[in-house]
Amino acid sequence: METFDKREERQTDLAKKNSLSDYFAQTYALSEIEFKKLFRDPTELFTRAVQPILWLTVFGQVMSKVKAVPTGEISYLAFMSPGILAQSILFSAIFFGIAIIWEKDLGVVHKLLVTPTARSALVLAKAVSSGFRGLVQAVIIFIVAYLMGVKLNFHPVHLLLVILSVFMGSAIFSTFSLIVACLVKTRERFMGIGQVLTMPLFFASNAIYPIEMMPKWLQVISQINPMSYLVDSLRALMLEGGVSHFGIGLDFSVMILIFGLMLFIASKLYAGIVQ
Amino acid sequence: MTPSLAIQTSNLTKKFGERTVVDHLNLSIEQGKIFGLLGPNGAGKSTTIKMLTTLLPPSEGRAHVAGFDVEDEAMDVRRKIGYVPQLVSSDGSLTAEENLLLSAKLYRIPSSERQLRIEEALAFMGLVGVRSKLVRTFSGGMIRRLELAQAVLHRPLVLFLDEPTIGLDPVARRTVWEKLKEMNKRFAMTILMTTHDMEEADFLCDELGILHQGVIAAIGGPDELKKQVGPEANLDDVFIHFSGATITESGNFGDVRQTRRTANRLG
Ligand SMILES: Nc1ncnc2c1ncn2[C@@H]1O[C@H](COP(=O)(O)OP(=O)(O)OP(=O)(O)O)[C@@H](O)[C@H]1O
Ligand SMILES: [Mg+2]
């Protein structure tokens, strides 16, 4: 039996194959929506800022007095500020999957998956949304660190690269979180796993102490931890006289590579969240 | 000319592990028809719709929607269909208008036409007055109308509705029915819907299929099916007759919970 008038449809459709411009327009539309939602209810942004501020004002102050961590030319407070920014990016992005599970439980994800939008565009928009959040954290931490006397680098190129780095970090951890969400599918299971993941990612990194201080085995782990590259780039870019341990080029290459991988995996798994 | 088919499945099957939820389903639905898929909780109605809307890959068999294969030509299928899931699918933290605008952009409706279509949809669904209100403040009936508006903004050839009036009061339900009839007429839009409401099935559907444990137990027009069961039979009798008479072990706690959750959220 003949189904529909296919040939004719096909011909007009040839020009309508999902083009790159569709891809960007759709990603943009989705990101725009996320942006709107974020600033419609900014309470979350501010409650998220409490923790990093406490780390800087309490932990940072005390550790500066103790002088237990050799940080070279720069003060301990300056040393840890980029680490705390990376930490707040990690902590807020790693629970991003909860929101996806919530949307799935509602049916919002079903509807998006049925539109002619590439899965990777749906994932990318989520990463961008997480990037916006990271940026707000960055602004807050810049202000607090500045008020506490940390010498920050306000060179426009540096600021631009900080923005890029914050976006990359947020994108990596939120997409990772999305992958976990697609695998575990329920909020209860996700909460447990989220808690288990954050601490190792944070402590097995150079966020609050230099890599050289760690035992050998931990050094190895922290060198394959994407968190270390985020911290390293921020430390070099944010601070007056900040230096990179790995090299900025390597930092960004590693982050872009990891994000690419995460994006690829997440795009494959995203549709499975409703199954 | 043979009437063209909007939906055609051959041996469409879905298994979850060992369990066959949809079992070698063969359906042919003509263009422009309203087809009702009936059946008890857990019969496989939503699963069938998920396969036809490209959300779930079939375990076996094939399905064509609007002339395209749901697996090999998923993107083409998606361009041609609209879908309102059993769950609530409009974004509660956005306004009605923002929800519509997002749909318009994702379906790549040209920017010159977007606003016109959105205005038209808002007017058609009676949502003009609440266009800038957040959807989370909407009543169940308003949400359903918005979801319908979003699902047809791009003028799909085939519309899939999973229990479109669940949890709605009688007035809201009737409004949705009228809108559906009108859309079906105006755009010759084929509709495949599921429902537990026999009055709804009787009122809306040209053809009914009764699904029982993943198999079509009966198929035909509402009056045809009634005649098969008995001279005085109504659709309730038809449903009971073909879906295994009593409350069986089919369906599980999860199904009921999910249905309820939807009802609560809408109500
Ligand atoms: N992802 C899944 N994994 C395992 N089993 C599933 C899955 N999705 C559905 N099922 C099972 O398949 C059966 C059919 O589910 P389906 O949602 O299609 O039923 P339904 O006919 O839509 O029921 P209802 O009227 O309650 O909406 C149910 O018993 C359900 O538990
Ligand atoms: Mg169902």
Side-chain angles (χ1 to χ4, degrees):
Chain A
M1 217 185 301
E2 180 61 24
T3 58
F4 240 83
D5 212 350
K6 205 159 169 177
R7 227 166 310 137
E8 205 180 319
E9 290 284 332
R10 273 277 166 66
Q11 262 151 19
T12 51
D13 260 4
L14 268 183
K16 283 199 287 182
K17 278 278 166 272
N18 260 34
S19 65
L20 211 57
S21 72
D22 284 347
Y23 189 90
F24 285 119
Q26 288 166 328
T27 310
Y28 183 82
L30 290 161
S31 311
E32 197 184 15
I33 287 291
E34 295 287 345
F35 189 77
K36 254 188 210 151
K37 284 202 275 189
L38 191 61
F39 289 99
R40 189 158 284 166
D41 185 14
T43 43
E44 188 210 325
L45 291 177
F46 292 109
T47 51
R48 285 223 183 274
V50 173
Q51 209 184 7
I53 291 174
L54 286 177
W55 273 88
L56 283 177
T57 51
V58 181
F59 186 83
Q61 293 278 22
V62 173
M63 290 298 281
S64 298
K65 293 257 159 56
V66 178
K67 293 198 167 54
V69 183
T71 50
E73 303 281 286
I74 54 176
S75 71
Y76 182 70
L77 202 61
F79 176 84
M80 82 177 289
S81 299
I84 295 305
L85 173 53
Q87 180 209 42
S88 75
I89 288 171
L90 169 69
F91 282 20
S92 78
I94 207 78
F95 288 105
F96 207 70
I98 289 279
I100 313 284
I101 294 176
W102 176 251
E103 285 185 3
K104 184 257 315 188
D105 287 344
L106 282 172
V108 177
V109 179
H110 298 67
K111 166 118 92 212
L112 290 178
L113 285 171
V114 167
T115 66
T117 312
R119 271 69 181 126
S120 62
L122 297 171
V123 176
L124 202 56
K126 290 292 176 197
V128 172
S129 154
S130 173
F132 292 139
R133 281 158 209 265
L135 223 50
V136 175
Q137 308 274 314
V139 171
I140 291 168
I141 286 170
F142 259 74
I143 294 172
V144 175
Y146 182 78
L147 292 178
M148 292 179 72
V150 173
K151 293 210 166 44
L152 296 165
N153 190 334
F154 290 106
H155 191 282
V157 175
H158 279 240
L159 288 180
L160 215 66
L161 287 173
V162 167
I163 292 174
L164 186 64
S165 179
V166 166
F167 253 91
M168 287 311 300
S170 308
I172 288 171
F173 295 123
S174 63
T175 311
F176 177 58
S177 175
L178 196 147
I179 292 173
V180 175
C182 290
L183 295 174
V184 302
K185 291 181 187 170
T186 70
R187 259 171 279 170
E188 295 75 14
R189 275 182 281 181
F190 186 94
M191 280 312 282
I193 292 183
Q195 307 281 12
V196 169
L197 287 173
T198 41
M199 285 307 152
L201 280 169
F202 176 53
F203 285 111
S205 81
N206 52 358
I208 51 173
Y209 30 73
I211 286 187
E212 301 83 50
M213 266 185 81
M214 303 176 188
K216 260 273 161 312
W217 64 271
L218 198 57
Q219 287 197 13
V220 174
I221 294 177
S222 69
Q223 268 166 15
I224 52 173
N225 183 354
M227 180 79 177
S228 297
Y229 297 88
L230 172 63
V231 173
D232 190 63
S233 67
L234 289 175
R235 196 163 278 149
L237 294 164
M238 270 172 72
L239 303 176
E240 197 71 74
V243 280
S244 166
H245 178 86
F246 300 118
I248 292 285
L250 183 66
D251 289 338
F252 277 100
S253 308
V254 170
M255 287 197 283
I256 289 168
L257 205 73
I258 292 178
F259 178 62
L261 187 68
M262 295 284 166
L263 183 62
F264 178 78
I265 299 172
S267 309
K268 292 272 173 240
L269 293 180
Y270 193 57
I273 197 170
V274 302
Q275 288 171 15
Chain B
M1 205 180 96
T2 49
S4 20
L5 294 178
I7 299 172
Q8 189 180 33
T9 73
S10 59
N11 295 324
L12 189 66
T13 301
K14 185 69 198 179
K15 291 183 180 146
F16 290 113
E18 290 292 286
R19 197 155 154 239
T20 306
V21 170
V22 176
D23 197 355
H24 296 86
L25 195 67
N26 290 297
L27 273 183
S28 296
I29 300 172
E30 280 171 28
Q31 224 189 312
K33 287 274 189 307
I34 303 185
F35 186 94
L37 202 54
L38 310 181
N41 292 130
K45 304 181 295 296
S46 296
T47 306
T48 303
I49 287 197
K50 283 183 188 165
M51 286 193 280
L52 294 175
T53 52
T54 76
L55 283 175
L56 263 186
S59 314
E60 219 182 286
R62 297 212 148 262
H64 281 82
V65 174
F68 295 104
D69 188 292
V70 293
E71 278 191 285
D72 301 341
E73 299 164 308
M75 269 300 181
D76 297 292
V77 171
R78 287 181 200 132
R79 271 193 208 99
K80 301 288 179 202
I81 64 171
Y83 171 51
V84 180
Q86 194 169 346
L87 303 155
V88 176
S89 64
S90 288
D91 197 325
S93 47
L94 298 175
T95 67
E97 200 167 2
E98 286 164 349
N99 266 293
L100 284 163
L101 191 61
L102 178 63
S103 289
K105 287 179 177 171
L106 292 181
Y107 282 103
R108 304 292 284 131
I109 295 172
S111 50
S112 55
E113 241 177 277
R114 252 179 239 155
Q115 211 46 47
L116 202 72
R117 291 244 190 135
I118 290 174
E119 295 305 328
E120 207 179 68
L122 286 169
F124 181 66
M125 290 295 174
L127 295 169
V128 176
V130 292
R131 60 192 303 160
S132 348
K133 287 229 165 72
L134 289 186
V135 172
R136 75 162 79 91
T137 66
F138 279 21
S139 72
M142 285 152 77
I143 294 181
R144 262 319 186 216
R145 277 180 279 144
L146 174 63
E147 291 183 301
L148 284 173
Q150 277 186 269
V152 301
L153 208 57
H154 59 294
R155 309 259 187 278
L157 292 170
V158 188
L159 179 62
F160 293 90
L161 306 170
D162 206 346
E163 305 195 19
T165 59
I166 190 169
L168 299 194
D169 68 48
V171 179
R173 192 173 66 142
R174 212 152 260 286
T175 317
V176 168
W177 290 356
E178 273 149 26
K179 300 299 171 198
L180 288 178
K181 271 263 192 235
E182 208 176 322
M183 290 193 301
N184 165 252
K185 289 263 144 42
R186 195 153 29 136
F187 306 116
M189 195 181 286
T190 311
I191 299 178
L192 188 153
M193 59 184 282
T194 73
T195 182
H196 289 295
D197 179 343
M198 293 307 130
E199 197 190 340
E200 175 167 295
D202 219 351
F203 181 84
L204 282 176
C205 300
D206 303 307
E207 207 178 353
L208 297 173
I210 296 176
L211 199 62
H212 181 49
Q213 298 185 343
V215 183
I216 290 278
I219 200 160
D223 295 327
E224 220 177 301
L225 291 179
K226 284 181 219 163
K227 258 184 228 131
Q228 280 181 31
V229 173
E232 298 281 292
N234 59 26
L235 270 189
D236 282 318
D237 302 324
V238 170
F239 182 87
I240 292 166
H241 180 86
F242 288 109
S243 65
T246 48
I247 299 160
T248 58
E249 65 291 344
S250 71
N252 57 30
F253 180 65
D255 299 328
V256 176
R257 202 176 45 173
Q258 178 162 332
T259 312
R260 286 272 173 73
R261 217 195 296 146
T262 318
N264 283 342
R265 198 156 276 134
L266 284 166

